[in-house]
Every structure is written in structure tokens, then in C-alpha cells.
Amino acid sequence: QVQLVESGGGLVQTGGSLRLSCAASARTFRFHVLGWFRQAPGKERQFLGAFRFSDGTTGYADSVKGRFTISMDNIKNAETTMYLQMNALKPEDTAVYYCAAGLQSSLITTTRGYNYWGQGTQVSVSS
């Protein structure tokens, strides 16, 4: 059983910053990858970035590279926290942001590669 709980969303002005958190825990097994996605109204869920536990690799979508950064806390524990630091936010970053856990060992960039999802946190960027 995996629990993923996002927090840190809110309303911010263009150019501002936010840091999202994802508290991740698993009782009987460890997930291999944690990822961030977002979904704007009427659009498909979009990959933002992910962290692989086996070697500490982090990967990002080109659209957010240089603005968004993933960091981790307590990666060796059963309860891990993943952060998404978002800078220079734009109105088009407005979406619900999701944390996801995958059992595969690759940094997959599609939703099909992830087995568990959090409930999401709303990020709104005003112009």
C-alpha cells in the first residue's frame, strides 16, 4: 500500500515561486521512481520530472527544465518527501499538480509508467 500526499499549492503572481511537497510512504515494498505531473483543465496530464531511487537520477520535461527543480528528503526511509521547487511561474503553469509513484526502474515520462497517484494540489498563477 502506497500513500502519496501533496501539499504547498496556492495562488501566486506571475514571476513568483512555490514549493510543492509530496509525502510518500509504502508499507510492504519500495517504489523505484517518484514523479511530478500536472493537469490543466481540458488538457492531458503532463509529465514534469521524476527521481529514481536506485542511483539518484533526476529527469525533467524540456518545458520546465531550468525553472523547476526536484529535491528529496529521507530517501532511505520508508517515508520519503519529494519537493518540487517552481520558479518564474507563468499563468500557463496553472494546473493541478500530482505526485506519482512507479514500480518500474526507468524514468518513464508517461502516466502509464506510474502505479500510484496522490490527490493533487492546485497551483494558480495570476497575470
Side-chain angles (χ1 to χ4, degrees):
Q1 182 178 359
V2 176
Q3 273 195 319
L4 301 169
V5 180
E6 304 96 334
S7 61
L11 175 64
V12 64
Q13 291 185 334
T14 296
S17 298
L18 276 177
R19 189 177 79 157
L20 306 183
S21 300
C22 171
S25 62
R27 285 191 176 181
T28 58
F29 58 89
R30 289 303 306 270
F31 32 79
H32 295 290
V33 175
L34 283 177
W36 284 104
F37 287 76
R38 70 184 179 190
Q39 189 166 20
K43 295 190 176 181
E44 292 187 353
R45 197 164 292 191
Q46 175 191 15
F47 172 79
L48 299 175
F51 175 85
R52 181 167 60 195
F53 284 83
S54 62
D55 59 2
T57 297
T58 305
Y60 299 93
D62 288 342
S63 59
V64 301
K65 202 174 291 184
R67 292 195 301 127
F68 290 8
T69 303
I70 289 173
S71 60
M72 307 294 296
D73 196 15
N74 295 326
I75 61 174
K76 294 186 178 181
N77 295 342
E79 295 184 357
T80 299
T81 302
M82 177 174 66
Y83 301 98
L84 182 67
Q85 178 66 43
M86 305 186 294
N87 298 326
L89 284 165
K90 309 171 185 178
E92 49 264 43
D93 294 318
T94 295
V96 178
Y97 284 68
Y98 296 92
C99 171
L103 304 181
Q104 80 294 340
S105 58
S106 302
L107 283 178
I108 295 177
T109 61
T110 63
T111 57
R112 291 185 302 172
Y114 293 81
N115 307 89
Y116 301 94
W117 294 85
Q119 82 288 349
T121 185
Q122 176 71 46
V123 171
S124 299
V125 184
S126 63
S127 57

